[in-house]
Amino acid sequence: MNTFTISGNIIDLFKKRIFPGIVRVENGKIAEISESETVESVYILPGFVDAHVHIESSMLLPREFARLAVVHGTVGTVSDPHEIANVLGVPGVEYMIENVKDLPFKIAFGAPSCVPATTFETAGAEITPDDIETLFKKHDLKYLSEMMNFPGVLFNDSEVLKKIEIAKAFKKPVDGHAPGLRGDDAAKYIAAGISTDHECFTLEEALDKVQRGMKIIIREGSAAKNFDALHPLLKTHPQMVMFGSDDKHPNDLVDGHINDVVKRALKLGYDLFDVLKSASANPVEHYGLDVGLLKEGDAADFIVVDDPENFKVLKTYVNGELVAENGVSNIPFKKAKAVNNFNVLNKQPEDFFVKADGENMRVIEALEGQLITNELVLKAKIEDGNAISDIENDVLKIAVVNRYRDEKPAVAFIKNFGLKKGAIASSVAHDSHNIIAVGSSDSELCAAVNSLIETTGGVCAVENGRNDVLKLDVAGLMSSGDGYEVAREYEKIDARAKELGSTLHSPFMTLSFMALLVIPQLKLSDKGLFDGGKFEFTTVFV
């Protein structure tokens, strides 16, 4: 790799100073940083790191995710591959690792800790403690991915504790996932060795965890948006803060990434150095990432921006390679093979009937910008002895269909999707990734589900025989296609869902979390309606 120099105003995060200087790069490393007396017009600083993301949720392969992200100054991610692991197991994790070989981008994969996430759903695979040990030995993964089974930690589940002990033996950090956990329960969870959480949705919860030694990842993704609630941590506990997207749909990734959170924080008046450390140094130091921080001897992973107010990313370098310039990615598209796990037969409309067993029923209340839901008790709309979607009151039928074997669909009701006609469906349904669908009628719900069975995965919007579908040929989660084209196609599907009446900002992303049982309150798995507060199944009718 050629030696080169680049000049600008150097932002030194560790000495908290900005000075005009010259960076000399040799063989992908920063050989020297020297001061200059020249007046500079641009700024040089460490590149950004997404401290918690499931790349699969971008619907893009890791290489394509990187291709889009570098444009926004991202040079690396801390990535939990448990989405593909729930579909394909260890081979799915290894597929992701293989996809990023020789990629000029720093992806730190973790060993998925909860596959399946719970015993109350059907996944396509299982990852055991022995599998986790093998992943650490064979691939030197950076951390144990989010421990979603926090009840298992609290009640000393032997398998859960064994996974944590394996991570400790390899001196790897353990990520957390404990929405709403407070007080003594939070203390016990943290004492088990769990060091981060990205699920806080109130400042009070975050402060409770921070004061017990846990680091907080402020999440700002396509569905869950917690920055507005948690940004005061940047003033009170900046050393304990990181930024993560968790889940980012492709069209949103085209528009921006961690750079958007940085700009928002700076506009609120937070200290420049604290904000930039949260976006780079804090995750690098916590996870021990091989990502440079603009110091002599570091990997040459840095970005050039116009100024700290506009924060327009002009250039992104990874290992001294110019990977993006002026909004254009230099990472080329590379086609990858498809892998999958789909084994289910088409359904009939009567498979989605719900026999009325009373007048009132439990309804999932989806919330804009949140993964948590509420439980409502509402009067059912009944025809011919069956409960049906009540379009007028926005209480629609929701179904989860096992995609790994042929089983009867699980059906319940949900509020706030807003569909006035048709149906939408997705094979991205955290965390087991069965087919999930919401519809205005049984026939439309069935048509949406069958659309994805026939394409073996994707997202779709159907209405009166019209079928708009984005095929996801890799595990029913990701497309093997060009990331920018996938983003354009997803935009069309998203717009179509809104034409059908959805008022949600990200209807498909919100839909994908309605089967995530480890986040309260009421969710739906392929086995039935689930009470996340009591951690047990419940009935549709009260």
Side-chain angles (χ1 to χ4, degrees):
M1 189 174 293
N2 293 332
T3 298
F4 68 92
T5 59
I6 184 169
S7 60
N9 295 299
I10 311 296
I11 300 181
D12 186 333
L13 299 186
F14 301 95
K15 294 182 180 178
K16 292 192 172 183
R17 60 189 291 254
I18 301 174
F19 60 91
I22 300 170
V23 179
R24 181 163 60 88
V25 176
E26 291 182 0
N27 299 319
K29 301 281 189 181
I30 295 178
E32 182 184 20
I33 299 176
S34 57
E35 294 196 37
S36 162
E37 294 183 358
T38 305
V39 176
E40 301 290 354
S41 61
V42 298
Y43 291 74
I44 304 173
L45 62 149
F48 302 135
V49 175
D50 190 330
H52 180 78
V53 64
H54 305 283
I55 287 176
E56 302 96 312
S57 293
S58 70
M59 302 183 183
L60 307 176
L61 290 174
R63 184 179 182 88
E64 285 301 287
F65 181 98
R67 183 167 167 245
L68 274 60
V70 291
V71 169
H72 309 301
T74 305
V75 299
T77 67
V78 179
S79 176
D80 178 1
H82 79 197
E83 315 298 356
I84 196 168
N86 270 279
V87 177
L88 295 166
V90 170
V93 177
E94 294 181 328
Y95 177 93
M96 301 287 274
I97 294 169
E98 180 67 25
N99 185 253
V100 301
K101 281 189 175 178
D102 303 318
L103 176 70
F105 191 78
K106 308 291 183 73
I107 297 181
F109 286 114
S113 69
C114 297
V115 178
T118 73
T119 59
F120 302 101
E121 57 197 301
T122 305
E126 179 183 3
I127 289 186
T128 67
D130 288 344
D131 292 330
I132 287 172
E133 185 169 7
T134 298
L135 285 168
F136 280 137
K137 284 181 179 177
K138 185 177 178 182
H139 299 290
D140 190 30
L141 301 189
K142 288 294 185 181
Y143 67 109
L144 184 66
S145 298
E146 55 185 301
M147 179 48 70
M148 294 181 290
N149 189 359
F150 63 84
V153 176
L154 299 181
F155 293 105
N156 302 314
D157 180 278
S158 60
E159 287 288 289
V160 167
L161 297 183
K162 186 176 180 181
K163 292 175 181 179
I164 294 173
E165 290 306 312
I166 289 169
K168 289 179 179 178
F170 281 90
K171 295 181 169 53
K172 306 292 185 180
V174 181
D175 264 8
H177 171 119
L181 205 64
R182 301 282 298 273
D184 291 343
D185 285 345
K188 182 174 182 179
Y189 185 70
I190 294 165
I194 298 166
S195 58
T196 70
D197 192 26
H198 59 278
E199 291 291 346
C200 295
F201 48 87
T202 68
L203 182 60
E204 293 73 22
E205 177 191 350
L207 287 169
D208 187 37
K209 289 173 177 173
V210 164
Q211 288 159 4
R212 298 174 190 278
M214 178 172 267
K215 295 178 181 178
I216 302 300
I217 300 171
I218 297 180
R219 172 176 57 192
E220 193 72 4
S222 290
K225 300 178 183 295
N226 306 124
F227 177 83
D228 286 343
L230 303 182
H231 65 71
L233 292 172
L234 289 166
K235 183 175 180 62
T236 60
H237 299 85
Q239 74 282 4
M240 303 294 282
V241 173
M242 297 178 266
F243 297 144
S245 65
D246 200 4
D247 297 287
K248 195 82 168 169
H249 267 178
N251 57 324
D252 290 333
L253 186 59
V254 168
D255 292 338
H257 195 202
I258 300 301
N259 62 315
D260 286 343
V261 182
V262 168
K263 286 190 279 189
R264 288 174 64 186
L266 293 176
K267 284 182 179 178
L268 290 172
Y270 290 109
D271 179 79
L272 172 69
F273 298 102
D274 288 340
V275 171
L276 295 182
K277 277 190 172 182
S278 296
S280 58
N282 290 356
V284 169
E285 292 172 348
H286 178 76
Y287 292 100
L289 306 180
D290 180 27
V291 175
L293 294 172
L294 202 58
K295 296 186 293 185
E296 290 182 355
D298 275 5
D301 308 322
F302 58 86
I303 63 177
V304 181
V305 303
D306 56 354
D307 61 69
E309 290 187 8
N310 292 322
F311 232 96
K312 180 180 179 182
V313 178
L314 305 176
K315 295 180 180 181
T316 303
Y317 290 86
V318 176
N319 289 335
E321 180 178 343
L322 181 62
V323 293
E325 184 172 14
N326 295 323
V328 178
S329 179
N330 292 335
I331 297 176
F333 169 68
K334 186 178 180 180
K335 187 70 175 178
K337 67 176 182 179
V339 292
N340 213 337
N341 185 4
F342 238 92
N343 186 28
V344 57
L345 301 176
N346 276 15
K347 302 304 176 186
Q348 301 298 322
E350 52 266 31
D351 292 326
F352 300 91
F353 287 179
V354 176
K355 183 180 179 181
D357 191 20
E359 292 187 353
N360 297 318
M361 59 185 185
R362 293 181 176 85
V363 175
I364 302 166
E365 184 184 25
L367 302 173
E368 181 69 82
Q370 299 291 341
L371 306 189
I372 59 170
T373 60
N374 291 328
E375 176 182 326
L376 304 176
V377 176
L378 301 174
K379 188 173 182 179
K381 183 175 183 178
I382 300 170
E383 284 186 3
D384 300 324
N386 291 315
I388 63 171
S389 290
D390 184 351
I391 296 172
E392 183 178 347
N393 292 306
D394 190 20
V395 178
L396 304 176
K397 203 168 270 189
I398 180 171
V400 176
V401 179
N402 187 325
R403 65 131 131 170
Y404 304 107
R405 60 176 182 262
D406 208 45
E407 300 282 356
K408 181 176 173 57
V411 186
F413 290 85
I414 193 163
K415 187 172 178 63
N416 289 341
F417 267 81
L419 298 181
K420 301 299 182 184
K421 53 189 177 180
I424 62 174
S426 173
S427 58
V428 180
H430 304 282
D431 278 321
S432 294
H433 300 295
N434 291 298
I435 300 170
I436 189 165
V438 170
S440 60
S441 69
D442 295 331
S443 59
E444 296 283 33
L445 193 64
C446 182
V449 168
N450 286 344
S451 170
L452 297 191
I453 291 173
E454 290 160 9
T455 59
T456 62
V459 293
C460 72
V462 304
E463 183 223 353
N464 195 28
R466 174 178 170 180
N467 180 20
D468 295 89
V469 60
L470 169 60
K471 181 177 173 63
L472 300 176
D473 57 331
V474 179
L477 303 174
M478 297 170 283
S479 168
S480 62
D482 179 286
Y484 287 99
E485 180 59 31
V486 173
R488 285 189 288 270
E489 290 302 310
Y490 175 76
E491 282 271 16
K492 294 176 183 178
I493 296 286
D494 180 73
R496 181 61 181 149
K498 290 166 183 173
E499 287 174 7
L500 297 178
S502 181
T503 55
L504 292 168
H505 172 73
S506 297
F508 287 103
M509 184 66 86
T510 300
L511 179 63
S512 73
F513 286 107
M514 294 303 101
L516 186 55
L517 309 188
V518 293
I519 295 186
Q521 181 67 36
L522 203 60
K523 297 289 172 69
L524 182 67
S525 87
D526 66 293
K527 296 182 178 181
L529 192 61
F530 191 78
D531 185 326
K534 297 178 181 177
F535 227 67
E536 62 185 26
F537 287 111
T538 188
T539 57
V540 173
F541 280 88
V542 178

